[in-house]
Amino acid sequence: MPPPPSLSRRALLGSALGLGAYGLSGCAGLTERVSSTSRGSRDTLTFQTYGTDVEGNIYDVLARRFEEQNRGVTVDVTVVPFAEASTGIDAGLVSGTAPDIFRVDYPTMGVYASTGQLLDLEDSLDELAGDSSKAFMDAVTDRGRVFGIPQHVDTSALVYRPDVLRDAGITSVPDRPEDAWSWEEFAQVAATLRDAAPAGSSAFAVNWQALGAFRWLNFLFQAGGHVYDEDRTRSLLTSASATRALDFTKSFFDEGLVPQTSSTKAATYPDALFTSGSLAMLYAGNFLLPSFADTIKDRFEYAVTYLPRDRRRASELGGNALVATKGATNPELASEFLTFMAAPAQMKDFCEASVLLPTRDSLLSQELDFAVAADLMPVYADQVTTIEPRDVADVTTATFAEVNLSLANELETCFLSGRGTADTLQALAEQVDESAYLNRQDAS
Amino acid sequence: MTIEKTALAPGQEAPGEQATTPGTAPRSRLRDNRSAYSLLAPNLLLIGLFLLVPLVWSLLMAFQAKRSFGLGEWSGLTNLSRLLSDDVFWRALLNTAIFTVATVPLSVGLGLALALLMDKALPGRGVFRTIVYLPIAVSSLVVSLVGLLLFDESIGILNGVLRDLGVGPVAWQSNGALAMLSVVVMTLWTRVGFGMLVYLAALQDVDSEVLEAATMDGAGGLDRIRHVVVPWLRPTTFFLVVINMIWSFQVFDVVYVMTNGGPGYSTTMLVTYAYDEGFGPSRNFGYGATVGLVLLVITLAITAVQLRVNRRQEA
């Protein structure tokens, strides 16, 4: 009888290690996060973005166009979920593997610009600066240096259902900016809609959930208030304007005008409620119009009017910039790509396909051929003109990301847990003051 | 110094000396040790790299003003002093304690009840065991999304059913206590199956003769469970209590997906708070690490107390 095959310890260990390595390599596909980042090379640019399928597709088209114009150059476009984008970029910047180019929203950009993570683009964007409003260029500027291109802007307006308003006896909706409802008029309309709404429906909802908490500032600005003083080192959140803004927005919940689940920390967004037909009105950004067209189809009619006004008209600076990392392997190529993306032809194609507003004055004054909802876009284009440089300065500080989180937490405590206006504003002011030390460093 | 040898019976050899010749024992032990360490090395390496290094690193960060980028600055006890005066931290600690008190006894108790039920010769018990155990096999993220689908206040299944029954919608998301209840319910759904499975295995070791003797002495079904089965299962119960407490203190995904810590701070837990501070928009690594450190200390303290209590009971 032949002896049983023997397996030496060394062979056993080798096999185990081999199997382990094989197993781990097999798991790589399962465990690799989509937001993992990598640097480019001399002839390759890596570009991380997020957004809808339409936005991903048009970015890809524009990247191929850049490759055609620059033979031998490759642009690798990676689309990641919005919620993961910042985490991936942060990790990439710390570990030196950040993509050469990435997309970033204006309120988050301050963190990267103020800490020296971004490529200085000052000289290559003079032409763009000459064709864009100061507010938009300010959004990508830190201590006088330009760190990105304001690729597009989006903002909110009031989407409504004419059929529901008609049924409730509301026959007149503002169709000119100067006729925008005052807060008092809007509250009256909302109360009428609430009284006429069937069970399970509400008058309206506001789009201030999660990272959109800063949209509460629309009300603050409309009331004439601001987050910071002129040099952005001290909070102004205990002002009479802030009190008026918070009293007004708190009344939405106290008087049952909005769903209780549409607060600033809600786990879901209220646009699903609008498309399902259980809201008469919705504060909504223009970037939602493609999904509205897709999901509502012809189930019901919807239109857009101007945001209600108080002491002034105001609207938030939404939208995104494209930036290059300071450690990009080929900074000249990265800079060229950003200049290319900021050129009128690319900006126009991107905005038309994605139903977003351009930042160039020359394009804003044109009638763009938006893929959907072109008839609704003039209202949004008008809303954008209400954004003032000081509003932009408030939301692009190095510490605004923290302020945004504080807004989400503290506002919800006020809206749903019954805390008073004064206590809430005091808590917010303290947190803003506490996180403003980087702004003080900026100023010094 | 003299070494006394243990007296051995005639023909008996000392352990470890059985197959060795004089002079080869140390080399053999060395070889054995080397083999043991080489087998342990991958695990030790992983534990060192992914557990101990980050642990020490976060300990250091707790004493620094450290943001995403650049080097941190030593800030002494600033983070700790901020923590002690931070109302949100205390609220998160209280919430975590409430969540733990609600989930641990129920997870263990329901697990035992189900195990006792499934241990009987029920028709189709294999199917029932699988159904109860299934949530363990499902990703906790999926469970959380199922929870969101069930408890969503506006379009959730539960409120839809309640509305049809004429009971009216329940404020699962806008009422703090009910939001906590929804998180507890979904957590129990995922944990009860594990408790049941561990108890089922332990029940196989319960001495049937002791049970028979108890029956002969006139003990009823409940008496047998109370006075024989439960004491017999004490080590298993201890294990389940410790593991469930640790899980409860680490709760994250269910809260993050279902309530995002709200309404207000009603369901904010220590881990979600540490995450928000460290990896959320504020990117305050130093403060996030401080909250995490407190979590570690609390978990260690609870485990130490439980070990001590258990050892005393066994003694």
Side-chain angles (χ1 to χ4, degrees):
Chain A
M1 191 175 156
S6 65
L7 191 62
S8 72
R9 200 159 32 221
R10 196 179 296 249
L12 183 69
L13 266 176
S15 308
L17 284 173
L19 277 171
Y22 177 78
L24 284 174
S25 67
C27 289
L30 298 173
T31 55
E32 193 176 7
R33 289 170 66 85
V34 287
S35 60
S36 64
T37 54
S38 58
R39 286 173 72 181
S41 61
R42 195 75 215 148
D43 297 322
T44 301
L45 284 173
T46 51
F47 172 25
Q48 178 183 293
T49 183
Y50 47 80
T52 61
D53 289 346
V54 173
E55 289 168 12
N57 289 339
I58 187 68
Y59 273 128
D60 209 47
V61 167
L62 298 178
R64 300 294 83 79
R65 192 183 293 173
F66 183 73
E67 287 173 352
E68 278 168 25
Q69 291 180 13
N70 297 269
R71 289 287 172 200
V73 169
T74 306
V75 182
D76 282 340
V77 182
T78 307
V79 183
V80 301
F82 178 64
E84 286 196 12
S86 278
T87 316
I89 292 294
D90 283 15
L93 288 169
V94 171
S95 61
T97 60
D100 299 321
I101 309 284
F102 63 95
R103 189 185 193 190
V104 62
D105 56 298
Y106 300 118
T108 306
M109 192 176 157
V111 173
Y112 300 124
S114 66
T115 51
Q117 304 300 316
L118 303 180
L119 189 65
D120 187 338
L121 304 168
E122 179 69 26
D123 304 327
S124 55
L125 294 177
D126 287 348
E127 185 272 332
L128 174 67
D131 192 21
S132 300
S133 82
K134 183 177 180 309
F136 300 153
M137 289 311 292
D138 282 352
V140 292
T141 302
D142 182 70
R143 281 168 279 185
R145 310 299 295 172
V146 178
F147 290 99
I149 59 160
Q151 195 199 10
H152 68 90
V153 63
D154 57 62
T155 197
S156 296
L158 191 64
V159 181
Y160 67 96
R161 288 183 57 177
D163 56 336
V164 176
L165 268 65
R166 266 195 309 271
D167 292 347
I170 298 155
T171 51
S172 167
V173 177
D175 56 3
R176 296 185 309 167
E178 54 270 32
D179 296 336
W181 281 320
S182 67
W183 280 7
E184 287 74 19
E185 288 169 333
F186 175 71
Q188 247 172 359
V189 167
T192 307
L193 288 169
R194 175 200 58 200
D195 296 343
S201 295
S202 297
F204 73 100
V206 186
N207 53 346
W208 47 30
Q209 293 70 28
L211 292 179
F214 77 101
R215 294 191 178 109
W216 177 81
L217 300 180
N218 286 348
F219 297 94
L220 178 69
F221 298 155
Q222 286 160 9
H226 276 283
V227 180
Y228 297 101
D229 60 359
E230 290 279 2
D231 54 4
R232 290 175 289 147
T233 56
R234 198 173 56 82
S235 155
L236 293 180
L237 283 171
T238 49
S239 64
S241 305
T243 304
R244 180 169 163 74
L246 188 54
D247 279 340
F248 181 57
T249 46
K250 187 174 188 294
S251 74
F252 299 169
F253 291 87
D254 292 347
E255 295 173 20
L257 301 175
V258 296
Q260 297 293 302
T261 51
S262 64
S263 182
T264 47
K265 285 175 75 178
T268 50
Y269 294 99
D271 42 285
L273 294 177
F274 184 75
T275 54
S276 70
S278 53
L279 287 177
M281 303 187 290
L282 176 70
Y283 281 69
N286 50 288
F287 59 89
L288 284 174
L289 294 178
S291 74
F292 282 178
D294 198 36
T295 50
I296 295 174
K297 294 191 171 26
D298 54 359
R299 280 188 293 122
F300 56 79
E301 182 193 352
Y302 58 95
V304 181
T305 186
Y306 306 91
L307 288 187
R309 59 175 297 156
D310 193 39
R311 277 182 59 189
R312 57 168 273 221
R313 294 180 67 215
S315 187
E316 86 276 10
L317 174 74
N320 296 277
L322 291 182
V323 296
T325 47
K326 196 175 183 178
T329 311
N330 188 342
E332 291 81 19
L333 188 62
S335 181
E336 268 176 48
F337 181 71
L338 290 183
T339 310
F340 166 83
M341 292 296 279
Q346 278 68 248
M347 189 181 281
K348 180 172 182 287
D349 289 353
F350 180 80
C351 290
E352 285 181 342
S354 309
V355 193
L356 297 166
L357 292 164
T359 52
R360 284 181 174 273
D361 292 336
S362 58
L363 292 176
L364 273 169
S365 58
Q366 284 180 30
E367 195 169 318
L368 297 183
D369 184 19
F370 291 108
V372 295
D375 55 325
L376 306 181
M377 287 303 282
V379 174
Y380 284 100
D382 177 78
Q383 280 295 154
V384 163
T385 63
T386 67
I387 300 170
E388 295 180 359
R390 189 160 170 206
D391 305 346
V392 175
D394 268 2
V395 299
T396 52
T397 63
T399 53
F400 189 74
E402 286 171 64
V403 174
N404 204 15
L405 183 65
S406 299
L407 281 169
N409 286 325
E410 301 303 329
L411 290 175
E412 180 156 294
T413 307
C414 177
F415 294 158
L416 297 182
S417 302
R419 189 170 61 180
T421 302
D423 289 344
T424 303
L425 290 175
Q426 186 60 40
L428 267 173
E430 283 170 12
Q431 289 176 42
V432 169
D433 279 338
E434 197 174 317
S435 65
Y437 75 96
L438 284 177
N439 301 345
R440 282 195 287 277
Q441 284 182 343
D442 276 5
S444 60
Chain B
M1 185 178 156
T2 57
I3 299 171
E4 285 183 4
K5 272 199 150 187
T6 313
L8 296 172
Q12 190 181 353
E13 290 179 79
E17 290 179 6
Q18 208 160 6
T20 57
T21 49
T24 60
R27 198 182 303 161
S28 168
R29 200 173 300 135
L30 191 69
R31 205 164 43 227
D32 284 350
N33 286 350
R34 212 181 319 157
S35 301
Y37 280 121
S38 58
L39 285 168
L40 280 172
N43 268 350
L44 290 177
L45 186 71
L46 291 174
I47 288 172
L49 202 61
F50 294 110
L51 186 70
L52 297 180
V53 170
L55 200 66
V56 173
W57 206 326
S58 65
L59 180 70
L60 295 176
M61 270 199 286
F63 298 98
Q64 293 177 28
K66 171 86 177 81
R67 305 250 156 186
S68 292
F69 312 111
L71 296 171
E73 287 174 19
W74 290 105
S75 60
L77 298 176
T78 309
N79 286 329
L80 200 60
S81 104
R82 179 186 157 190
L83 190 85
L84 295 176
S85 59
D86 182 355
D87 293 341
V88 183
F89 166 73
W90 291 111
R91 180 66 201 263
L93 186 61
L94 178 68
N95 288 341
T96 310
I98 291 171
F99 177 80
T100 305
V101 168
T103 50
V104 174
L106 284 172
S107 303
V108 176
L110 289 173
L112 176 61
L114 281 168
L116 289 168
L117 198 67
M118 301 288 176
D119 197 38
K120 306 277 180 207
L122 287 174
R125 75 178 167 172
V127 176
F128 284 121
R129 282 180 185 181
T130 309
I131 289 172
V132 175
Y133 190 72
L134 200 60
I136 291 280
V138 177
S139 151
S140 58
L141 188 66
V142 173
V143 170
S144 311
L145 288 169
V146 169
L148 191 58
L149 199 65
L150 283 170
F151 288 100
D152 189 289
E153 208 168 310
S154 306
I155 52 173
I157 294 170
L158 273 179
N159 270 1
V161 171
L162 291 172
R163 208 175 281 131
D164 290 345
L165 292 173
V167 180
V170 175
W172 297 113
Q173 292 174 308
S174 53
N175 178 295
L178 291 172
M180 178 67 90
L181 180 65
S182 69
V183 170
V184 167
V185 168
M186 289 315 292
T187 306
L188 286 176
W189 189 53
T190 60
R191 286 204 200 155
V192 164
F194 179 75
M196 179 198 75
L197 197 77
V198 175
Y199 271 130
L200 268 176
L203 279 172
Q204 312 310 311
D205 290 339
V206 177
D207 196 330
S208 56
E209 287 179 10
V210 179
L211 283 172
E212 271 175 38
T215 312
M216 296 289 284
D217 288 344
L222 279 177
D223 287 333
R224 283 200 302 275
I225 290 172
R226 195 176 151 200
H227 296 295
V228 180
V229 176
V230 171
W232 200 284
L233 297 176
R234 188 184 291 148
T236 308
T237 304
F238 172 71
F239 163 73
L240 284 173
V241 167
V242 172
I243 200 85
N244 272 289
M245 283 191 91
I246 291 171
W247 283 346
S248 288
F249 268 87
Q250 290 176 340
V251 63
F252 178 77
D253 32 20
V254 177
V255 173
Y256 201 71
V257 173
M258 284 182 65
T259 65
N260 196 17
Y265 296 105
S266 302
T267 56
T268 298
M269 306 289 176
L270 281 177
V271 180
T272 55
Y273 188 48
Y275 179 85
D276 279 345
E277 284 294 323
F279 299 101
S282 55
R283 297 169 168 83
N284 193 339
F285 285 5
Y287 193 61
T290 311
V291 180
L293 194 67
V294 170
L295 185 68
L296 176 72
V297 169
I298 292 173
T299 312
L300 287 177
I302 289 171
T303 312
V305 167
Q306 282 180 327
L307 277 172
R308 204 183 169 90
V309 169
N310 195 52
R311 209 171 291 149
R312 198 173 293 163
Q313 282 175 345
E314 279 177 355

